[in-house]
Amino acid sequence: MIKSVPVTLLAAAFISCANAASVYDKDGNILYLDGRVQSVLYSGNHNKAGENDSSIQNSGRFGIGGKSQLNDWISATAYTQWDVADDSSNNDFKAREQYVGADFGVYGKVITGRMRDSTYYVESLTDRYEDAGANVQSVYNSEYRGGQIQYVYDNYGMHAQFGLQTAQDKAKVAKSHLSYFDREDSFAVDSGVNFALGYTFDEIGGEPLSVRGGYSRLNGQKGNDVALYSRTSASWTHPNGEPFDSFDHANFGISWGELDSGLYLAALYDYSKMDFLDEDYQSIARKVNGVAVSELDYIESQGFELAVGYAFDNGLSTILGYEVSYNKARSNNSSYDRAKVRRIPVLVNYKLNSNFNVWGEVGINAGSDRKFSELKKDKKDYKNVFSFGARYTF
């Protein structure tokens, strides 16, 4: 999940951000800055510090973007954003999003670099929380991958997005559900393709209705790229990242209304499957918590997110969700392990002005169950959590 709605959603130019500050605008050349600083008090089950210790965590984010008019119908555009001292573990600038491209106005834009793939356009409908929500899509939506090129069209209510993925070592693919089964999110990616389509109707019952669908496929590196393995006492690894065969991700979403004005309703369905290499590549038994285990054949995850929100004219807004994720891993010996996550997130946010907001958030366990890898449970998935935060955005 993300901690705020992103500055750009690929469909919109960076300069459309309401909080972006223009530092230069002359002769068709525009330079913008954006950023935020926040402080959040987390309950112990968020696992931010110690064993069960509450903790105040500070973090920042800084971005810079530009646009230069090349002729009457095309502009060069670029944007980069860094996480700054994110929580307590990162004391440096860490790249989050970076791209350069060409903007053709009403005909769309082409960008290349580090970004989310097209499927996040669908997931953004329910990604409206701070830390306790988006428990299904959090598997994918924080995964900014380099080596991508995307075309985005967003006009007259129609959204179309198409992307290609080039080879990347140690790439982020799918986060949370892999950790359920003792897998790290660092993969040897060879190639991929992704797309999304959507349409927003202006007036359905007096509010906009948006319908969206997306699909992404990644292929793993094969042959000499992943021919050699090394093994440690805990697991065996590869310098290019963990080998896999393919990863498929599909989703569908629908929303009615706008969260910043009145009633908002949204629903998301997410599905993914990661197939690992066959036994010819997996002749060495791995170890999990020091115990040898059979290699995985595939990991499959699916679930849904429902959200109901309301925004008042005085800057107060709230959103309530119900989220269920089912995760299954099949080993090469045909045994199965499962993990179920069922959560109720609630967020209350108060926006004092366009730059400053405070919030309170709770995440309620509604029947999560993990029977595999008990030593690596993420407490915020099967325990109740809460947080209080303040953020200044510029």
Side-chain angles (χ1 to χ4, degrees), residues 63-89:
I64 179 171
K67 190 173 184 179
S68 180
Q69 194 75 34
L70 301 180
N71 53 43
D72 291 339
W73 57 279
I74 184 172
S75 298
T77 183
Y79 179 69
T80 183
Q81 187 182 71
W82 300 270
D83 281 321
V84 186
D86 193 8
D87 298 328
S88 60
S89 60

Side-chain angles (χ1 to χ4, degrees), residues 221-235:
Q221 297 176 17
K222 307 290 196 312
N224 292 333
D225 289 335
V226 290
L228 300 176
Y229 292 101
S230 61
R231 195 175 87 170
T232 69
S233 59
S235 64

